[in-house]
Amino acid sequence: MQSAAGTLAVMSKKFPDFVPPTQIAYRDDGGTTLHVRKCRLVIDEAGGAREVVFDQGTITIGAMEDNDVSLLDDTVSRYHCRIYQDDNAYVVQDLGSTNGTFVNGVRVKEAYLRPGCTLTCGKTQVEFHAFDEEVRIVPVESEPFDDVVGQTSQMREVFGILSRIAPTGTTVVIEGETGTGKEVIAHALHKRSPRRNKPFIVFDCSAVPANLIESELFGHEKGSFTGAIVARQGLFEAANGGTIFLDELGELSLDLQPKLLRVLETREVRRVGAARSQRIDVRVVAATNRRLEEEVRAGRFREDLFYRLSVVRVFLPPLRDRRDDIPALVRHFLRRGAYNRDPSGEVRVRNLSRDALDALVTHAWPGNIRELSNAIERACSFAEGDCIQLADLPPEVTSSRGTAPPSAARLESSPRPPAVDADDPRAPPGLPVAFKEAKEQWNAAFERDYLLSVLRRNRFNISRAAREAEIDRKHFRKLIRKYGFNDPDDPGEPDEP
């Protein structure tokens, strides 16, 4: 980068007026704040000044209409320069323009932009300003968020975050266990964004052989490798103008991660075997069931890619932590499931008995919402009338009844929750005890079921079971004693409490 003392806005990243990237901040008081980094460009043209505001990662400036900022100036090149976000700063990069790009009167190839500086393209001057919009995230009152169903405070806070970031071009990483609905969230973000009428492309990083992923994502030219008999565009090109959803991002191999990083930073893709790159305008939403920080520490995920992706991270809670959402989810599946339609297209099964609802709420749901959806589909196929009975549910769901710890006796003796009705617009979850107490009881039931399951899979070998559960062996032994199992040194089956 070039510099000129007192004139050129080429700054160190220590400057206090640099704006941090868009990110979510979790406050000490339990609240959540979204910091949205934005820039404002004041463009001085022959017809007067105009102002545009952007929150996206890259802004292109030039004479062509497909630029983010199109300038009516015959001294401006077709693709003159671009402004992109770099950690806590904005950087301008000249794109090989004929007349050059200037910052505060000094010609630059690439330079940091300080808020208030003047960018000159041809004869047009652009005043640059950056600012941070701080938004307090408040759990929304309404539900659902498009096809995402939830009424618990955790999900309503997620909806609050999604509603704020959906209209932006911000890169989003959705984290959560398998089956928590990450792809549904990604689709909802796309539908709420200005890109809704453009493509939404899904790519599962774990479903394609490693040697084909590069071709799938970036495309290839004819003859670039054995079998490449025709040129083919990649998924990034196919998603141009829209959103690409990278599912199971943690499965992406280390040798491909730098290439993805380059695409995210430059917004350009180069097909396998091609000599030139192509510009793209794509929003990236990624999902993973792994903890990316742990993957970085283990050396399985690049640190620079992690920070480039982690603009906004959304954590989806497992279903066992949001059991009050189960009745609403069941109603949603009964209303929307194609499997629950008669030949005339009407909803066939409309209700769920109280015994069946009890079983659903008690089950630990290791497969989360996907497992619940499959259970309802199975129950609808077995149901003889318009109401799902306990016997219609999968055996693994009904067998979990009665495994709650003794402290849950009050729940069993209290009035049971009302049955689910597919036509009821409201959820009837209400547990007949205080929230904190009910949560402790459900967590204890899950712990007990989980421990028993992992012990049985490992033939009650404590060491193997602890390794599978990724729990310290001493702590594992304390847990199995806590729930009344046999002494860990006894190879026999744990006693049923």
Side-chain angles (χ1 to χ4, degrees):
M1 295 187 184
Q2 302 181 25
S3 63
T7 59
L8 180 59
V10 180
M11 308 298 175
S12 162
K13 296 181 183 179
K14 64 185 180 181
F15 269 83
D17 52 1
F18 276 13
V19 182
T22 299
Q23 57 189 330
I24 295 174
Y26 296 96
R27 298 152 51 101
D28 293 338
D29 61 4
T32 305
T33 300
L34 178 66
H35 292 264
V36 182
R37 177 165 64 175
K38 295 185 176 183
C39 77
R40 183 174 71 254
L41 303 180
V42 182
I43 305 164
D44 186 9
E45 296 177 303
R50 61 185 171 105
E51 182 178 301
V52 288
V53 176
F54 296 98
D55 55 26
Q56 62 205 54
T58 301
I59 306 155
T60 57
I61 301 174
M64 298 295 288
E65 291 184 357
D66 59 346
N67 285 285
D68 298 302
V69 178
S70 179
L71 300 179
L72 298 175
D73 182 346
D74 57 10
T75 62
V76 171
S77 297
R78 292 184 303 166
Y79 301 105
H80 198 98
C81 65
R82 72 184 184 106
I83 299 172
Y84 65 91
Q85 298 179 10
D86 177 36
D87 293 334
N88 61 346
Y90 280 91
V91 178
V92 62
Q93 180 186 42
D94 184 78
L95 298 178
S97 64
T98 301
N99 296 317
T101 300
F102 294 77
V103 177
N104 288 350
V106 177
R107 185 167 182 167
V108 300
K109 187 175 182 63
E110 191 171 30
Y112 288 112
L113 295 175
R114 185 174 187 175
C117 70
T118 299
L119 183 68
T120 304
C121 303
K123 297 178 181 179
T124 304
Q125 291 192 336
V126 180
E127 192 173 299
F128 171 83
H129 300 276
F131 59 97
D132 174 23
E133 180 182 343
E134 182 176 343
V135 181
R136 178 71 181 268
I137 298 297
V138 179
V140 298
E141 295 300 326
S142 62
E143 65 93 20
F145 185 85
D146 287 316
D147 291 331
V148 188
V149 177
Q151 302 176 99
T152 55
S153 60
Q154 304 105 303
M155 290 306 298
R156 288 189 293 109
E157 182 168 298
V158 169
F159 294 163
I161 294 170
L162 296 178
S163 63
R164 301 299 282 183
I165 65 175
T168 73
T170 301
T171 300
V172 181
V173 174
I174 307 168
E175 299 183 69
E177 296 179 5
T178 298
T180 48
K182 296 185 287 294
E183 184 173 340
V184 180
I185 290 283
H187 209 175
L189 281 171
H190 176 72
K191 290 170 66 176
R192 294 283 187 101
S193 76
R195 302 171 180 264
R196 66 181 66 88
N197 296 322
K198 298 294 184 177
F200 177 78
I201 303 295
V202 178
F203 179 74
D204 188 341
C205 299
S206 65
V208 178
N211 61 326
L212 297 179
I213 289 181
E214 184 176 2
S215 173
E216 286 287 322
L217 286 177
F218 310 132
H220 63 256
E221 295 293 344
K222 179 180 178 180
S224 57
F225 55 86
T226 303
I229 57 177
V230 295
R232 179 184 177 185
Q233 73 171 189
L235 295 182
F236 272 98
E237 289 182 61
N240 195 33
T243 303
I244 186 168
F245 174 56
L246 303 177
D247 198 9
E248 302 301 343
L249 181 70
E251 304 293 333
L252 196 65
S253 62
L254 277 171
D255 60 327
L256 285 174
Q257 290 177 22
K259 298 177 181 179
L260 176 59
L261 177 62
R262 176 175 173 79
V263 172
L264 294 175
E265 289 181 337
T266 65
R267 298 295 164 169
E268 294 179 344
V269 294
R270 179 180 295 180
R271 295 183 181 182
V272 177
R276 295 184 178 180
S277 299
Q278 301 180 57
R279 299 175 63 254
I280 55 166
D281 173 24
V282 174
R283 182 183 194 176
V284 177
V285 179
T288 178
N289 61 6
R290 299 186 181 187
R291 299 292 294 184
L292 290 183
E293 299 99 324
E294 297 176 4
E295 295 298 298
V296 171
R297 286 194 293 268
R300 293 187 293 266
F301 202 84
R302 289 177 62 101
E303 186 176 19
D304 49 2
L305 179 58
F306 169 71
Y307 286 116
R308 186 63 184 83
L309 285 166
S310 300
V311 179
V312 172
R313 298 167 67 194
V314 177
F315 298 89
L316 294 185
L319 187 56
R320 62 182 174 273
D321 290 345
R322 42 178 295 217
R323 295 177 188 267
D324 285 358
D325 283 334
I326 290 177
L329 286 165
V330 171
R331 280 197 309 278
H332 176 77
F333 295 142
L334 291 178
R335 287 196 302 264
R336 301 289 295 273
Y339 51 79
N340 190 29
R341 300 284 175 176
D342 60 23
S344 64
E346 295 296 320
V347 174
R348 187 174 64 85
V349 178
R350 295 180 174 275
N351 304 309
L352 185 76
S353 72
R354 292 181 178 178
D355 283 340
L357 178 61
D358 282 343
L360 294 177
V361 173
T362 304
H363 187 54
W365 300 113
N368 293 293
I369 298 174
R370 183 181 295 123
E371 182 186 1
L372 175 62
S373 175
N374 292 340
I376 298 303
E377 180 175 358
R378 190 253 196 202
C380 286
S381 64
F382 276 77
E384 296 182 355
D386 67 349
C387 183
I388 294 174
Q389 303 296 332
L390 180 63
D392 299 326
L393 297 175
E396 61 269 19
V397 175
T398 57
S399 64
S400 64
R401 297 190 75 219
T403 59
S407 59
R410 289 187 297 276
L411 288 176
E412 294 297 324
S413 61
S414 301
R416 291 175 294 177
V420 167
D421 187 338
D423 297 323
D424 184 359
R426 297 174 301 173
L431 290 171
V433 292
F435 170 78
K436 182 178 179 181
E437 185 178 357
K439 182 178 179 181
E440 290 174 352
Q441 292 169 1
W442 292 129
N443 286 342
F446 164 74
E447 281 188 357
R448 196 267 180 197
D449 291 345
Y450 177 82
L451 292 170
L452 186 57
S453 173
V454 75
L455 280 168
R456 283 173 174 163
R457 280 200 303 273
N458 290 278
R459 299 180 180 274
F460 305 98
N461 183 299
I462 303 301
S463 297
R464 288 204 302 265
R467 282 196 298 270
E468 179 182 329
E470 298 183 3
I471 297 176
D472 180 78
R473 189 175 186 278
K474 292 182 179 179
H475 182 58
F476 194 90
R477 290 171 61 129
K478 289 181 181 179
L479 287 174
I480 61 178
R481 289 192 184 113
K482 172 183 175 181
Y483 292 106
F485 296 163
N486 286 337
D487 188 279
D489 294 324
D490 183 349
E493 181 169 333
D495 293 330
E496 298 290 334

